[in-house]
Amino acid sequence: MGDRSSFEPDMTLRGPNLCLEGSTFGPRTISAWREAVAPFWDVEIRKEDTPDFRGQSEVYHLGNAIIGLTAASELRNERSRGLVARMGVDHVAAQLRIDGRATIRSAGHETPMGPGDVALLDLAQPLSLDSTDYRAITVIIPRGLFPEGGAGLAEAHGTVLPGATAFGALVSDHLRSLGANVPHFSPAEARVAAQATAVLLSAAARTAIGEVGRPPVPAPVFLAVRSAIDAEIASADLTVEHLCRRFGVSRSALYRLFAPMGGVVEYIRRRRLARAYRDLAAGADRAARISEIAYRYGYASPASFATAFRAEFGMSPADVKADARSVGAPADRRAPADLPTGGWDEFYDWVLMLDA
């Protein structure tokens, strides 16, 4: 595999940042890379390529966004439904390829991307990404920061804005500028830059799915309904009728709000299964029995729950519970009072601390 060059121009690191540099060869480098990106990706490379793997990443927390400047050898990144459920966050990512090519696989579709192209990724949905040696700029933004609640971003998941088009070049140039200037932002400037990026990416998503010119989704209602669903996810009273009464909307209006996600019923079903996955993965000493979790999330029997769970995640509830028992319960995640300043073991906390 080819030698990886660093990002240009040279950057003076300031503010809270994390840095993982693969400056040496050997299996230890790929192990460190897997650990670093674990909140977002399961990483696979060919066994014969392990000794030659190299990776470098510089990551900045902007308060309301995270931006990463990365370079790595050929690899495969995957977000399975299980990883999405374990992650438990609701963010959107955009990735600009500086060098190298990739193929995005999502919902049965394959989309190629090359240098100058920008991919839009909804981190609440699964996908896989096969990459050659590459350099990239990736920005991660909480959904609440987007205009209109980021509704169009769910439908635009996995789409690519070609850098050869006028609008694709505009988005590409913006992300390049963001990557070049992020080390020098003040905290206030960083937050404003993230907000501007969210506006641009929201427009990019609407362009990608052909919604430019359509009436926008009423963001306050959409975000309020999503928050209510998450807050009441284990309640037997969480029904379409209940949401319509609470928010004063019709069934058809509620369905339109969640149409990019398959409708409100499908959204609730998947959120319940994701929460069930997290409960099962809590560890042997903390996880409830499978039957308790099944009834907690509205299933009539453990058997029907197991069937739905396997269809969603490709494994049984018992498998998840057994895996949690074998590795032990994960440490409780708590956001520290100040931004973390150290190693990759705190990166998950950075992700949880994003705010809109």
Side-chain angles (χ1 to χ4, degrees):
M1 294 188 179
D3 186 33
R4 306 309 311 151
S5 59
S6 60
F7 284 89
E8 296 180 353
D10 292 336
M11 295 182 294
T12 300
L13 304 181
R14 57 171 293 182
N17 67 84
L18 300 175
C19 187
L20 173 69
E21 294 188 2
S23 58
T24 60
F25 293 100
R28 182 175 59 84
T29 305
I30 183 59
S31 298
W33 189 265
R34 284 195 177 104
E35 181 181 354
V37 301
F40 293 109
W41 302 107
D42 290 323
V43 177
E44 297 180 7
I45 66 170
R46 297 184 306 174
K47 183 177 180 180
E48 58 267 32
D49 292 335
T50 299
D52 294 328
F53 179 85
R54 296 185 68 184
Q56 175 181 321
S57 185
E58 297 167 349
V59 183
Y60 299 85
H61 196 297
L62 308 185
N64 54 356
I66 290 174
I67 182 168
L69 292 77
T70 57
S73 303
E74 180 178 342
L75 51 74
R76 174 187 175 89
N77 288 325
E78 183 171 4
R79 283 183 62 78
S80 64
R81 291 200 180 279
L83 179 58
V84 170
R86 290 196 305 273
M87 185 65 178
V89 297
D90 193 20
H91 303 331
V92 173
Q95 184 179 99
L96 164 66
R97 286 277 153 153
I98 307 271
D99 293 319
R101 297 189 173 275
T103 300
I104 301 172
R105 295 180 175 87
S106 173
H109 301 289
E110 291 190 2
T111 308
M113 65 180 302
D117 295 345
V118 177
L120 301 176
L121 308 173
D122 181 351
L123 298 182
Q125 301 186 56
L127 80 151
S128 67
L129 193 154
D130 293 332
S131 296
T132 64
D133 291 15
Y134 74 94
R135 291 191 303 150
I137 297 174
T138 303
V139 60
I140 301 167
I141 302 176
R143 197 179 304 271
L145 192 65
F146 289 90
E148 305 157 20
L153 290 157
E155 192 172 350
H157 172 60
T159 61
V160 171
L161 302 173
T165 65
F167 195 79
L170 173 66
V171 179
S172 175
D173 288 347
H174 174 83
L175 293 180
R176 286 178 188 270
S177 179
L178 186 66
N181 290 287
V182 66
H184 313 296
F185 288 148
S186 69
E189 290 170 340
R191 295 184 70 88
V192 172
Q195 291 169 345
T197 302
V199 172
L200 181 59
L201 292 178
S202 181
R206 291 173 65 83
T207 299
I209 61 177
E211 285 196 350
V212 173
R214 296 186 189 179
V217 174
V221 175
F222 177 70
L223 294 176
V225 174
R226 284 173 60 104
S227 296
I229 290 172
D230 282 344
E232 302 176 28
I233 198 66
S235 172
D237 295 329
L238 180 58
T239 63
V240 173
E241 292 74 15
H242 167 74
L243 293 171
C244 288
R245 288 194 303 269
R246 176 170 175 178
F247 293 98
V249 297
S250 66
R251 290 179 66 95
S252 59
L254 190 63
Y255 179 82
R256 285 195 298 272
L257 286 175
F258 287 85
M261 303 171 191
V264 65
V265 173
E266 176 66 7
Y267 178 78
I268 292 172
R269 185 189 72 83
R270 286 193 160 171
R271 293 298 287 176
R272 280 177 165 159
L273 285 171
R275 193 69 62 86
Y277 191 111
R278 293 173 64 190
D279 288 356
L280 288 163
D285 295 333
R286 296 167 54 195
R289 291 183 299 177
I290 293 174
S291 59
E292 293 174 356
I293 293 175
Y295 298 135
R296 177 184 303 166
Y297 293 110
Y299 286 87
S301 69
S304 61
F305 169 65
T307 299
F309 193 94
R310 183 179 289 278
E312 183 75 3
F313 300 116
M315 59 194 309
S316 71
D319 292 335
V320 175
K321 194 174 178 69
D323 287 346
R325 186 180 296 112
S326 66
V327 301
D332 289 337
R333 296 287 185 178
R334 294 183 301 273
D338 299 312
L339 287 176
T341 58
W344 282 103
D345 57 341
E346 295 174 316
F347 185 41
Y348 191 95
D349 291 320
W350 276 32
V351 177
L352 294 181
M353 290 168 66
L354 288 180
D355 65 89

